[in-house]
Amino acid sequence: MTAPEYIFEASSKPSLPWHEVPLIRATDTSVKGYGCLADDLETFEIEIVRWPQQGWRPVDEGTGDEGGWVEGTFKCDWQGDVLYGENEAVKGHYVLGWSADPQQAQTDRQTAPRDQVLLWHMNYHPDGGQMFWPLDNKPFIIPAALPGDNLTPEKVVAFWCDGSRGLYIHPGIWHEGIFPVEDNQRFLDRQGAVHARVSADIGQEFGVYLACPLRADKIRDL
């Protein structure tokens, strides 16, 4: 399996049914298992996973977890019906999703309400955790699923964050870029420097796109 292409024309993707993802208010309780909410960026520690033991000989103590972390600005911008992301920390550029059927989505003008993101892809990082810190103090959402390679659409939730706190996810948590509730937004992204990535093409694997609501009236409280 080859690594996915992240920059492409939306129309290169087929029309598929939508699976609506539950939108859950992010609280200290609701995000347990996925990560945590953070109040102090300066003192927050990013988990770095130790290099796995390959055979019966153990990895020497004090080695294998020294890669550290990188950080940079993660920018989210709608262009017409298509949501783009740029992660300066790992020099990544992405088509995160679209607000309408990709066969109809336009980049030069908005043709549909920006009240959802139709998500085509998710990934996780086995080498370290990841922090998303809102620089503009605006609401945002992030889709997530618990660890395990047997991902299915039913296992995915989206967390609504009000923009007053950062959201940290543990290593191995399925996710995609953060989605702004408004037209654009900036985040401080801090993550493991190795940046190992395991991907799932949702459309190819499951024949659906994940519809992640951006509407406050869809929020559920746990």
Side-chain angles (χ1 to χ4, degrees), residues 63-212:
T63 70
D65 58 359
E66 302 165 279
W69 46 264
V70 291
E71 69 177 27
T73 303
F74 194 116
K75 302 174 184 176
C76 305
D77 291 286
W78 283 97
Q79 295 183 26
D81 302 321
V82 181
L83 179 61
Y84 291 88
E86 178 184 357
N87 187 351
E88 294 177 350
V90 294
K91 299 179 173 59
H93 295 79
Y94 321 100
V95 172
L96 298 175
W98 33 83
S99 58
D101 185 309
Q103 290 293 305
Q104 308 299 324
Q106 304 293 313
T107 56
D108 59 345
R109 67 186 187 279
Q110 180 181 345
T111 68
R114 292 171 180 166
D115 58 4
Q116 66 177 354
V117 178
L118 298 179
L119 177 61
W120 67 277
H121 168 270
M122 294 185 77
N123 69 89
Y124 69 83
H125 307 303
D127 64 290
Q130 189 166 12
M131 164 70 78
F132 300 106
W133 187 271
L135 296 174
D136 301 320
N137 300 115
K138 300 175 183 178
F140 63 96
I141 76 164
I142 179 169
L146 294 172
D149 280 355
N150 293 323
L151 178 70
T152 64
E154 293 74 22
K155 294 179 180 179
V156 181
V157 300
F159 288 110
W160 174 287
C161 303
D162 65 11
S164 66
R165 306 170 76 185
L167 179 66
Y168 173 76
I169 58 172
H170 296 307
I173 294 295
W174 289 98
H175 65 287
E176 190 42 279
I178 49 276
F179 300 157
V181 173
E182 299 185 15
D183 288 350
N184 52 69
Q185 197 165 348
R186 300 170 305 127
F187 301 83
L188 189 287
D189 171 74
R190 181 180 291 169
Q191 63 187 102
V194 173
H195 190 225
R197 190 175 60 213
V198 179
S199 290
D201 187 311
I202 304 298
Q204 286 185 1
E205 290 193 35
F206 306 110
V208 298
Y209 297 123
L210 300 179
C212 300

Side-chain angles (χ1 to χ4, degrees), residues 24-32 37 159-160 165 221-222:
I24 298 171
R25 190 183 310 276
T27 66
D28 292 324
T29 299
S30 67
V31 303
K32 280 185 178 178
L37 295 172
F159 288 110
W160 174 287
R165 306 170 76 185
D221 288 293
L222 291 185

